[in-house]
Amino acid sequence: LGEESKNGNLIRKILQNYEGTFVLDADGLNQIALNHMQSDLRKSLCKVIITPHTGEAARLLGIDIAEAKAMDRGELSSCLVEKTNAVVVLKGEGTIVATPEGNSYTNTTGNPGMATGGAGDVLTGIITSLSGQGLLPEDAAKAGVYLHGLAGDLGAHHFGEFGLIAGDIAEMTALAIKKTLG
């Protein structure tokens, strides 16, 4: 997406006019923080899913990253929900899905080998795909996080945890879905 100011305006337009589910990650989250658009998230027409890591969460909350890292991850995700009214997918060990309705889920799949560049993009793609297929935002986030972690576990089993790359996770996603559906 990039950091150009026109992208902040594009995001604002989508939030004001789109009626579907909007998934924001990386540069999109940085645009929200940079342009102080958290209130736009709160009053958006669409349902929003955000997928920050701890650093992005700190920027969205306007706090120092050390403060965010010192917080309990459940508390951090709750603060993000309160500030944005979005379904929050707080990435990291034990990824948390927290919702505006007060629900919170901690994922049990995944492994340290998934801490690799592009793995978050794969997660965002899975969640976006599930949303596009009609799953409700909470369900798309929970299922996406679970499938992503399972694909990472299958990748680690097949390729090894060390050297696991995002492409391996993407490659194993279809198998994770097949395994989940029985």
Side-chain angles (χ1 to χ4, degrees), residues 120-163:
D121 296 322
V122 174
L123 172 62
T124 299
I126 294 169
I127 293 170
T128 302
S129 172
L130 293 170
S131 294
Q133 294 175 61
L135 267 67
L136 296 173
E138 179 178 335
D139 295 335
K142 290 186 308 185
V145 165
Y146 177 82
L147 290 169
H148 180 256
L150 181 56
D153 288 342
L154 293 168
H157 177 76
H158 185 73
F159 301 111
E161 200 172 285
F162 295 101

Side-chain angles (χ1 to χ4, degrees), residues 72-87:
D72 172 79
R73 288 177 47 79
E75 180 185 356
L76 183 60
S77 62
S78 293
C79 288
L80 282 167
V81 168
E82 186 177 318
K83 183 115 183 181
T84 65
N85 198 42
V87 172

Side-chain angles (χ1 to χ4, degrees), residues 29-66:
L29 296 175
N30 290 332
Q31 284 290 333
I32 296 291
L34 182 67
N35 294 299
H36 309 287
M37 296 188 322
Q38 292 85 337
S39 65
D40 292 290
L41 287 176
R42 288 198 61 71
K43 59 186 178 187
S44 77
L45 183 62
C46 57
K47 300 291 184 189
V48 179
I49 302 171
I50 60 173
T51 62
H53 55 60
T54 303
E56 292 162 337
R59 285 192 289 281
L60 287 168
L61 292 171
I63 62 176
D64 186 74
I65 190 164

